Coordinates of all heavy atoms in Angstrom, one line a residue:
M800 N -76.3 -168.1 5.0 CA -76.5 -167.1 4.0 C -76.7 -165.7 4.7 O -77.3 -165.7 5.7 CB -77.6 -167.4 3.1 CG -77.8 -166.3 2.0 SD -79.3 -166.4 1.0 CE -79.3 -168.0 0.5
C801 N -76.0 -164.7 4.2 CA -76.2 -163.4 4.7 C -76.8 -162.6 3.7 O -76.4 -162.5 2.5 CB -74.8 -162.8 5.1 SG -74.1 -163.6 6.5
L802 N -77.8 -161.8 4.0 CA -78.6 -160.9 3.0 C -78.6 -159.5 3.6 O -78.6 -159.3 4.8 CB -80.0 -161.4 2.9 CG -80.3 -162.8 2.3 CD1 -81.7 -163.1 2.5 CD2 -79.9 -162.9 0.9
G803 N -78.5 -158.6 2.6 CA -78.9 -157.3 2.8 C -80.2 -157.0 2.4 O -80.7 -157.2 1.2
I804 N -81.1 -156.6 3.4 CA -82.5 -156.5 3.0 C -83.0 -155.0 3.0 O -82.6 -154.2 4.0 CB -83.4 -157.2 4.1 CG1 -83.0 -158.7 4.1 CG2 -84.8 -157.1 3.8 CD1 -83.7 -159.5 5.0
P805 N -83.7 -154.4 2.0 CA -84.1 -153.1 1.9 C -85.3 -152.8 2.9 O -86.2 -153.7 3.0 CB -84.5 -152.9 0.5 CG -84.8 -154.2 0.1 CD -84.1 -155.3 0.8
G806 N -85.3 -151.6 3.4 CA -86.4 -151.2 4.3 C -86.4 -149.7 4.3 O -85.5 -149.1 3.9
R807 N -87.6 -149.1 4.7 CA -87.8 -147.8 4.6 C -87.6 -147.2 6.1 O -88.3 -147.7 7.0 CB -89.3 -147.4 4.2 CG -89.4 -145.8 4.0 CD -90.8 -145.7 3.2 NE -91.9 -146.2 4.0 CZ -92.6 -145.6 4.9 NH1 -92.2 -144.3 5.3 NH2 -93.6 -146.1 5.5
V808 N -86.9 -146.1 6.3 CA -86.7 -145.5 7.5 C -87.9 -144.8 7.9 O -88.5 -143.9 7.2 CB -85.5 -144.5 7.4 CG1 -85.3 -143.7 8.8 CG2 -84.1 -145.2 7.1
L809 N -88.5 -145.1 9.1 CA -89.7 -144.5 9.7 C -89.5 -143.4 10.7 O -90.1 -142.4 10.6 CB -90.5 -145.6 10.4 CG -90.9 -146.8 9.5 CD1 -91.7 -147.8 10.5 CD2 -91.9 -146.3 8.4
E810 N -88.5 -143.6 11.5 CA -88.1 -142.5 12.4 C -86.6 -142.8 12.7 O -86.0 -143.8 12.7 CB -88.9 -142.6 13.6 CG -88.8 -143.9 14.4 CD -89.8 -144.0 15.7 OE1 -91.0 -143.8 15.4 OE2 -89.2 -144.3 16.6
I811 N -86.0 -141.6 13.2 CA -84.6 -141.5 13.6 C -84.4 -141.1 14.9 O -85.2 -140.2 15.3 CB -83.7 -140.8 12.5 CG1 -83.8 -141.4 11.1 CG2 -82.3 -140.7 13.0 CD1 -83.2 -140.5 10.1
H812 N -83.6 -141.7 15.7 CA -83.4 -141.3 17.1 C -81.9 -141.5 17.5 O -81.2 -142.3 16.9 CB -84.3 -141.9 18.1 CG -84.3 -143.5 18.1 ND1 -85.0 -144.2 17.1 CD2 -83.7 -144.3 18.8 CE1 -84.8 -145.4 17.4 NE2 -83.9 -145.6 18.4
D813 N -81.5 -141.0 18.6 CA -80.2 -141.2 19.3 C -80.3 -142.2 20.3 O -81.2 -142.1 21.1 CB -79.7 -139.9 19.7 CG -78.2 -140.0 20.3 OD1 -77.3 -140.0 19.5 OD2 -78.1 -140.2 21.5
D814 N -79.3 -143.2 20.3 CA -79.4 -144.2 21.4 C -77.9 -144.3 21.9 O -77.1 -144.9 21.3 CB -79.8 -145.5 20.9 CG -79.9 -146.6 22.0 OD1 -79.6 -146.2 23.1 OD2 -80.3 -147.7 21.7
A815 N -77.7 -143.6 23.1 CA -76.3 -143.7 23.6 C -75.2 -143.1 22.7 O -74.2 -143.7 22.6 CB -76.0 -144.9 24.2
G816 N -75.5 -142.0 22.0 CA -74.6 -141.6 20.9 C -74.6 -142.2 19.6 O -73.9 -141.8 18.7
L817 N -75.4 -143.3 19.3 CA -75.5 -143.9 18.2 C -76.8 -143.4 17.4 O -77.8 -143.3 18.0 CB -75.6 -145.5 18.1 CG -74.3 -146.2 18.5 CD1 -74.7 -147.7 18.8 CD2 -73.3 -146.0 17.5
R818 N -76.7 -143.1 16.1 CA -77.8 -142.7 15.2 C -78.6 -144.0 14.9 O -78.0 -144.9 14.1 CB -77.3 -142.0 14.0 CG -78.3 -141.3 13.2 CD -77.8 -140.4 12.3 NE -78.8 -139.6 11.5 CZ -79.1 -139.9 10.2 NH1 -78.4 -140.8 9.6 NH2 -80.0 -139.3 9.7
M819 N -79.7 -144.1 15.4 CA -80.5 -145.3 15.1 C -81.8 -145.0 14.4 O -82.2 -143.8 14.4 CB -80.9 -146.0 16.5 CG -79.7 -146.4 17.4 SD -78.8 -147.7 16.7 CE -79.9 -149.1 16.9
A820 N -82.4 -146.0 13.9 CA -83.8 -145.7 13.2 C -84.7 -146.9 13.5 O -84.3 -148.1 13.6 CB -83.5 -145.6 11.7
R821 N -86.0 -146.7 13.3 CA -86.9 -147.7 13.2 C -87.2 -147.9 11.7 O -87.5 -146.9 11.0 CB -88.2 -147.3 13.9 CG -89.3 -148.4 14.0 CD -89.0 -149.2 15.2 NE -90.1 -150.1 15.5 CZ -89.9 -151.4 15.9 NH1 -88.7 -151.6 16.3 NH2 -91.0 -152.0 16.1
V822 N -87.0 -149.1 11.2 CA -87.0 -149.3 9.7 C -88.2 -150.4 9.5 O -88.3 -151.4 10.2 CB -85.6 -149.8 9.2 CG1 -85.8 -150.2 7.7 CG2 -84.6 -148.8 9.4
D823 N -88.9 -150.1 8.4 CA -90.0 -151.0 8.0 C -89.5 -151.9 6.8 O -89.1 -151.3 5.7 CB -91.2 -150.2 7.6 CG -92.3 -151.1 7.0 OD1 -92.8 -151.9 7.9 OD2 -92.7 -151.0 5.9
F824 N -89.6 -153.2 6.9 CA -89.2 -154.1 5.9 C -90.5 -154.7 5.3 O -90.8 -156.0 5.5 CB -88.3 -155.3 6.4 CG -87.0 -154.7 7.0 CD1 -86.9 -154.5 8.4 CD2 -86.0 -154.5 6.2 CE1 -85.7 -154.0 8.9 CE2 -84.8 -154.0 6.7 CZ -84.6 -153.8 8.1
G825 N -91.3 -153.9 4.7 CA -92.5 -154.5 4.0 C -93.6 -155.0 5.1 O -94.1 -156.0 4.8
G826 N -93.6 -154.4 6.3 CA -94.5 -154.8 7.3 C -93.8 -155.3 8.6 O -94.5 -155.3 9.6
I827 N -92.6 -155.7 8.4 CA -91.8 -156.1 9.7 C -90.9 -154.9 10.0 O -90.3 -154.3 9.1 CB -90.9 -157.3 9.4 CG1 -91.7 -158.5 9.0 CG2 -90.0 -157.5 10.5 CD1 -91.0 -159.6 8.4
R828 N -91.0 -154.5 11.3 CA -90.2 -153.3 11.8 C -89.1 -153.7 12.7 O -89.3 -154.5 13.7 CB -91.2 -152.3 12.4 CG -92.1 -151.8 11.3 CD -93.1 -150.8 11.8 NE -93.9 -150.3 10.7 CZ -94.9 -149.5 10.9 NH1 -95.2 -149.0 12.0 NH2 -95.6 -149.2 9.8
R829 N -87.9 -153.2 12.6 CA -86.8 -153.4 13.4 C -86.0 -152.2 13.7 O -86.0 -151.2 12.8 CB -85.8 -154.4 12.7 CG -86.5 -155.8 12.4 CD -86.5 -156.6 13.7 NE -86.8 -158.0 13.4 CZ -88.1 -158.5 13.6 NH1 -89.1 -157.6 14.0 NH2 -88.4 -159.7 13.4
E830 N -85.3 -152.2 14.7 CA -84.3 -151.1 15.0 C -83.0 -151.4 14.2 O -82.5 -152.5 14.2 CB -83.9 -151.2 16.6 CG -85.1 -150.6 17.4 CD -85.4 -149.2 17.2 OE1 -84.5 -148.3 17.2 OE2 -86.5 -148.9 16.9
V831 N -82.4 -150.3 13.6 CA -81.3 -150.4 12.8 C -80.3 -149.2 13.2 O -80.7 -148.1 13.4 CB -81.8 -150.3 11.4 CG1 -80.5 -150.2 10.4 CG2 -82.6 -151.5 10.9
C832 N -79.0 -149.5 13.1 CA -78.0 -148.5 13.3 C -77.8 -147.9 12.0 O -77.5 -148.5 11.0 CB -76.8 -149.2 13.9 SG -75.4 -148.1 14.1
L833 N -77.7 -146.6 12.0 CA -77.5 -145.8 10.8 C -76.0 -145.2 10.7 O -75.8 -144.3 9.9 CB -78.4 -144.6 10.7 CG -79.9 -144.9 10.5 CD1 -80.7 -143.7 10.5 CD2 -80.2 -145.8 9.3
S834 N -75.2 -145.6 11.5 CA -73.8 -145.0 11.6 C -73.1 -145.1 10.3 O -72.1 -144.3 10.0 CB -73.0 -145.6 12.7 OG -72.7 -147.0 12.5
C835 N -73.3 -146.2 9.4 CA -72.7 -146.3 8.2 C -73.3 -145.5 7.0 O -72.9 -145.4 5.9 CB -72.6 -147.8 7.7 SG -71.6 -148.7 8.9
T836 N -74.6 -145.0 7.3 CA -75.3 -144.3 6.3 C -75.8 -142.9 6.9 O -76.9 -142.8 7.0 CB -76.5 -145.1 5.8 OG1 -77.3 -145.4 7.0 CG2 -76.1 -146.3 5.0
P837 N -74.9 -142.1 7.1 CA -75.2 -140.7 7.7 C -76.2 -140.0 6.8 O -76.9 -139.0 7.4 CB -74.0 -140.0 7.9 CG -73.0 -140.7 6.9 CD -73.4 -142.1 6.8
E838 N -76.3 -140.2 5.5 CA -77.1 -139.4 4.6 C -78.6 -139.9 4.7 O -79.5 -139.3 4.2 CB -76.6 -139.6 3.2 CG -76.9 -140.9 2.5 CD -75.9 -142.0 2.9 OE1 -75.0 -141.8 3.8 OE2 -76.0 -143.1 2.3
A839 N -78.9 -141.1 5.4 CA -80.2 -141.5 5.4 C -81.1 -140.6 6.3 O -80.7 -140.1 7.3 CB -80.2 -143.0 6.0
S840 N -82.4 -140.4 5.8 CA -83.3 -139.6 6.5 C -84.7 -140.3 6.5 O -84.8 -141.4 5.9 CB -83.4 -138.3 5.8 OG -83.9 -138.5 4.5
V841 N -85.6 -139.8 7.3 CA -86.9 -140.4 7.3 C -87.5 -140.5 6.0 O -87.4 -139.5 5.2 CB -87.9 -139.6 8.3 CG1 -89.3 -140.1 8.2 CG2 -87.4 -139.7 9.7
G842 N -88.0 -141.7 5.5 CA -88.5 -141.9 4.2 C -87.5 -142.5 3.3 O -87.8 -143.0 2.3
S843 N -86.2 -142.4 3.6 CA -85.1 -143.1 2.8 C -85.3 -144.6 2.8 O -85.9 -145.2 3.8 CB -83.7 -142.7 3.3 OG -83.4 -141.4 3.3
Y844 N -84.7 -145.3 1.8 CA -84.7 -146.7 1.8 C -83.1 -147.0 2.0 O -82.4 -146.5 1.3 CB -85.2 -147.2 0.4 CG -86.7 -147.2 0.4 CD1 -87.3 -146.0 0.0 CD2 -87.4 -148.3 0.7 CE1 -88.7 -146.0 0.0 CE2 -88.8 -148.3 0.7 CZ -89.5 -147.0 0.3 OH -90.9 -147.1 0.2
V845 N -82.9 -148.0 2.9 CA -81.6 -148.4 3.1 C -81.6 -150.0 3.0 O -82.5 -150.7 3.1 CB -81.1 -148.0 4.5 CG1 -81.0 -146.5 4.7 CG2 -82.1 -148.5 5.7
I846 N -80.3 -150.4 2.7 CA -80.0 -151.9 2.7 C -79.5 -152.3 4.1 O -78.5 -151.6 4.6 CB -79.0 -152.3 1.7 CG1 -79.6 -152.0 0.3 CG2 -78.7 -153.7 1.8 CD1 -80.7 -152.7 -0.2
V847 N -80.1 -153.2 4.8 CA -79.7 -153.5 6.2 C -79.1 -154.9 6.2 O -79.6 -155.8 5.7 CB -81.0 -153.4 7.1 CG1 -80.5 -153.8 8.6 CG2 -81.4 -152.0 7.0
H848 N -78.0 -155.0 6.9 CA -77.3 -156.3 7.0 C -76.9 -156.4 8.5 O -76.2 -155.4 9.1 CB -76.0 -156.4 6.2 CG -75.3 -157.5 6.3 ND1 -75.7 -158.9 6.1 CD2 -74.0 -157.7 6.9 CE1 -74.8 -159.8 6.3 NE2 -73.7 -159.1 6.8
V849 N -77.3 -157.4 9.2 CA -77.1 -157.7 10.6 C -77.3 -156.5 11.4 O -76.5 -156.2 12.4 CB -75.7 -158.4 10.9 CG1 -75.6 -159.7 10.3 CG2 -74.5 -157.5 10.4
G850 N -78.4 -155.8 11.2 CA -78.7 -154.6 12.0 C -78.2 -153.3 11.7 O -78.4 -152.3 12.4
F851 N -77.4 -153.2 10.7 CA -76.7 -152.0 10.2 C -77.2 -151.6 8.9 O -77.1 -152.5 7.9 CB -75.1 -152.2 10.2 CG -74.5 -152.3 11.6 CD1 -74.4 -153.4 12.3 CD2 -74.0 -151.0 12.1 CE1 -73.8 -153.4 13.6 CE2 -73.4 -151.1 13.4 CZ -73.3 -152.3 14.1
A852 N -77.5 -150.4 8.7 CA -77.8 -149.9 7.3 C -76.5 -149.6 6.6 O -75.7 -148.8 7.1 CB -78.7 -148.5 7.4
I853 N -76.3 -150.4 5.5 CA -74.9 -150.3 4.9 C -75.0 -149.5 3.6 O -73.8 -149.2 3.0 CB -74.4 -151.8 4.7 CG1 -75.3 -152.6 3.7 CG2 -74.0 -152.4 5.9 CD1 -74.7 -153.8 3.3
A854 N -76.1 -149.2 3.1 CA -76.2 -148.4 1.9 C -77.6 -147.9 1.7 O -78.6 -148.4 2.3 CB -75.9 -149.3 0.7
Q855 N -77.7 -146.8 0.9 CA -79.0 -146.2 0.7 C -79.3 -146.5 -0.7 O -78.6 -146.5 -1.6 CB -78.9 -144.7 0.8 CG -80.3 -144.0 0.9 CD -80.3 -142.6 1.3 OE1 -79.5 -142.2 2.1 NE2 -81.2 -141.8 0.9
V856 N -80.7 -146.8 -1.0 CA -81.1 -147.1 -2.4 C -82.4 -146.3 -2.7 O -83.1 -145.9 -1.7 CB -81.4 -148.7 -2.6 CG1 -80.2 -149.5 -2.5 CG2 -82.4 -149.2 -1.6
D857 N -82.8 -146.3 -3.9 CA -84.1 -145.6 -4.2 C -85.3 -146.6 -4.0 O -85.1 -147.8 -3.8 CB -84.0 -145.0 -5.6 CG -83.9 -146.0 -6.8 OD1 -84.5 -147.1 -6.5 OD2 -83.3 -145.6 -7.8
E858 N -86.5 -146.0 -4.0 CA -87.6 -146.9 -3.7 C -87.8 -147.9 -4.7 O -88.2 -149.1 -4.4 CB -88.8 -146.0 -3.6 CG -90.1 -146.6 -3.3 CD -91.3 -145.8 -3.1 OE1 -91.2 -144.6 -3.4 OE2 -92.4 -146.2 -2.9
A859 N -87.7 -147.6 -6.0 CA -87.9 -148.6 -7.0 C -86.9 -149.9 -6.8 O -87.4 -151.0 -6.9 CB -87.6 -148.1 -8.4
E860 N -85.7 -149.6 -6.6 CA -84.7 -150.6 -6.3 C -85.0 -151.5 -5.0 O -85.0 -152.7 -5.0 CB -83.3 -150.1 -6.2 CG -82.3 -151.2 -5.9 CD -82.0 -152.2 -7.0 OE1 -82.5 -151.8 -8.2 OE2 -81.7 -153.3 -6.7
A861 N -85.6 -150.8 -3.9 CA -86.0 -151.5 -2.7 C -87.1 -152.4 -2.9 O -87.1 -153.5 -2.6 CB -86.3 -150.4 -1.7
R862 N -88.1 -151.9 -3.8 CA -89.3 -152.7 -4.1 C -88.9 -154.0 -4.9 O -89.4 -155.0 -4.7 CB -90.3 -151.9 -4.7 CG -90.9 -150.9 -3.9 CD -92.2 -150.2 -4.4 NE -92.7 -149.1 -3.6 CZ -93.3 -149.3 -2.5 NH1 -93.6 -150.6 -2.0 NH2 -93.7 -148.3 -1.8
R863 N -88.1 -153.8 -5.9 CA -87.6 -154.9 -6.8 C -86.9 -156.0 -5.9 O -87.1 -157.1 -6.0 CB -86.7 -154.4 -7.9 CG -87.3 -153.8 -9.1 CD -86.4 -153.6 -10.3 NE -85.3 -152.8 -10.0 CZ -85.3 -151.4 -10.1 NH1 -86.4 -150.8 -10.6 NH2 -84.3 -150.7 -9.7
T864 N -86.0 -155.5 -5.0 CA -85.3 -156.4 -4.2 C -86.3 -157.1 -3.3 O -86.2 -158.4 -3.0 CB -84.2 -155.6 -3.4 OG1 -83.4 -155.0 -4.4 CG2 -83.4 -156.6 -2.5
L865 N -87.1 -156.4 -2.6 CA -88.1 -157.2 -1.7 C -89.0 -158.1 -2.5 O -89.3 -159.2 -2.0 CB -89.1 -156.2 -1.1 CG -88.4 -155.3 0.1 CD1 -89.4 -154.2 0.5 CD2 -88.2 -156.2 1.3
D866 N -89.3 -157.9 -3.7 CA -90.1 -158.9 -4.5 C -89.3 -160.2 -4.7 O -89.8 -161.2 -4.7 CB -90.5 -158.2 -5.9 CG -91.7 -157.2 -5.8 OD1 -92.3 -157.2 -4.7 OD2 -91.8 -156.4 -6.7
V867 N -88.0 -160.0 -5.0 CA -87.2 -161.1 -5.3 C -87.0 -162.0 -3.9 O -87.1 -163.1 -3.9 CB -85.7 -160.7 -5.7 CG1 -84.8 -161.9 -5.7 CG2 -85.8 -160.1 -7.2
L868 N -86.8 -161.2 -2.9 CA -86.6 -161.8 -1.5 C -87.9 -162.5 -1.2 O -87.9 -163.6 -0.5 CB -86.2 -160.8 -0.5 CG -84.8 -160.3 -0.6 CD1 -84.6 -159.1 0.4 CD2 -83.8 -161.3 -0.6
R869 N -89.1 -162.0 -1.4 CA -90.4 -162.8 -1.2 C -90.4 -164.1 -1.8 O -91.0 -165.1 -1.3 CB -91.5 -161.9 -1.5 CG -91.8 -160.8 -0.4 CD -93.2 -160.1 -0.8 NE -93.4 -159.1 0.2 CZ -93.1 -157.7 0.0 NH1 -92.5 -157.3 -1.1 NH2 -93.3 -156.9 1.0
A870 N -89.8 -164.1 -3.1 CA -89.7 -165.3 -3.9 C -88.8 -166.3 -3.2 O -88.9 -167.5 -3.6 CB -89.4 -165.1 -5.3
M871 N -87.9 -165.9 -2.4 CA -87.0 -166.7 -1.7 C -87.3 -166.9 -0.2 O -86.5 -166.6 0.7 CB -85.5 -166.1 -1.8 CG -85.1 -165.9 -3.2 SD -83.6 -164.9 -3.3 CE -82.5 -165.4 -1.9
A872 N -88.6 -167.2 0.1 CA -89.2 -167.0 1.4 C -88.2 -167.5 2.5 O -88.1 -166.7 3.5 CB -90.4 -167.9 1.4
G873 N -87.6 -168.6 2.5 CA -86.9 -169.1 3.5 C -85.7 -168.2 4.0 O -85.2 -168.1 5.1
A874 N -85.0 -167.7 2.9 CA -83.8 -166.8 3.2 C -84.2 -165.6 4.0 O -83.4 -165.2 4.9 CB -83.2 -166.5 1.8
V875 N -85.2 -165.0 3.7 CA -85.7 -163.8 4.4 C -86.1 -164.1 5.9 O -85.6 -163.4 6.8 CB -86.9 -163.0 3.7 CG1 -87.4 -161.9 4.6 CG2 -86.4 -162.6 2.4
E876 N -86.8 -165.2 6.1 CA -87.2 -165.6 7.3 C -86.0 -165.9 8.2 O -85.9 -165.6 9.4 CB -88.1 -166.8 7.4 CG -88.7 -167.3 8.7 CD -89.7 -168.3 8.5 OE1 -90.1 -168.7 7.4 OE2 -90.2 -168.8 9.6
G877 N -84.9 -166.5 7.6 CA -83.7 -166.7 8.4 C -83.0 -165.4 8.8 O -82.4 -165.4 9.9
E878 N -83.1 -164.4 8.1 CA -82.5 -163.1 8.5 C -83.3 -162.3 9.5 O -82.7 -161.8 10.4 CB -82.2 -162.3 7.2 CG -81.0 -162.6 6.3 CD -79.7 -162.4 7.1 OE1 -79.4 -161.4 7.6 OE2 -78.9 -163.4 7.1
L879 N -84.6 -162.2 9.2 CA -85.5 -161.4 10.1 C -86.1 -162.2 11.1 O -86.7 -161.5 12.1 CB -86.5 -160.7 9.2 CG -86.0 -159.7 8.2 CD1 -87.2 -159.1 7.4 CD2 -85.2 -158.6 8.8
G880 N -86.1 -163.5 11.1 CA -86.8 -164.3 12.2 C -88.3 -164.5 11.8 O -88.9 -165.2 12.6
E881 N -88.7 -163.9 10.8 CA -90.2 -164.1 10.4 C -90.3 -163.8 8.9 O -89.4 -163.0 8.3 CB -91.2 -163.4 11.2 CG -90.9 -161.9 11.2 CD -91.8 -161.1 12.2 OE1 -93.0 -161.0 11.7 OE2 -91.3 -160.6 13.2
P882 N -91.3 -164.3 8.2 CA -91.4 -164.2 6.8 C -91.9 -162.8 6.4 O -92.6 -162.1 7.3 CB -92.4 -165.2 6.4 CG -93.1 -165.5 7.5 CD -92.3 -165.4 8.6
L883 N -91.6 -162.3 5.3 CA -92.1 -161.0 4.9 C -93.7 -161.2 4.6 O -94.0 -162.2 4.0 CB -91.5 -160.5 3.6 CG -90.1 -159.9 3.7 CD1 -89.5 -159.6 2.3 CD2 -90.1 -158.7 4.5
P884 N -94.5 -160.2 4.9 CA -95.9 -160.3 4.7 C -96.2 -160.2 3.2 O -95.5 -159.7 2.4 CB -96.5 -159.2 5.4 CG -95.4 -158.3 6.1 CD -94.1 -159.0 5.7

C-alpha cells in the first residue's frame, strides 16, 4: 500500500540543487524533496509520498488525515518505518 502522509515543513535547504525540507509527521521527522511543491514554505503542511512532497494542504486537513492514519497504525508504520506517536 502506498500512502501520502501529511507533515509540517520545519526548515528548507538546498541539497545539490534540490529544494529539500525537514518535515515533521506528528513527531517523526524526515528529509523530503520539495521540487513538486515550490509554493511550500516553513510552517506549510505538505502531503509526502516516497520522500516527495506532492501537494500542499491546510493544517486542519493535515490533522484530520493524521488522526485517520493513527487509527490505521500498521499502514503508517509501513510507510515511515515506525508508528506515529
Side-chain angles (χ1 to χ4, degrees):
M800 176 189 313
C801 295
L802 296 173
I804 301 180
R807 186 172 61 88
V808 176
L809 299 176
E810 61 184 53
I811 296 173
H812 58 276
D813 181 81
D814 185 0
L817 285 176
R818 190 164 181 256
M819 301 292 291
R821 187 85 170 145
V822 176
D823 178 61
F824 300 94
I827 298 170
R828 295 177 177 179
R829 296 282 188 263
E830 289 294 310
V831 171
C832 180
L833 296 179
S834 63
C835 297
T836 54
E838 71 282 3
S840 60
V841 172
S843 296
Y844 285 83
V845 291
I846 300 293
V847 177
H848 176 65
V849 294
F851 288 85
I853 58 172
Q855 192 170 333
V856 294
D857 64 31
E858 182 177 2
E860 181 64 24
R862 291 190 188 285
R863 281 192 299 271
T864 303
L865 282 171
D866 288 343
V867 169
L868 291 173
R869 281 187 182 97
M871 301 169 40
V875 174
E876 187 171 356
E878 282 295 307
L879 293 177
E881 57 187 287
L883 287 171

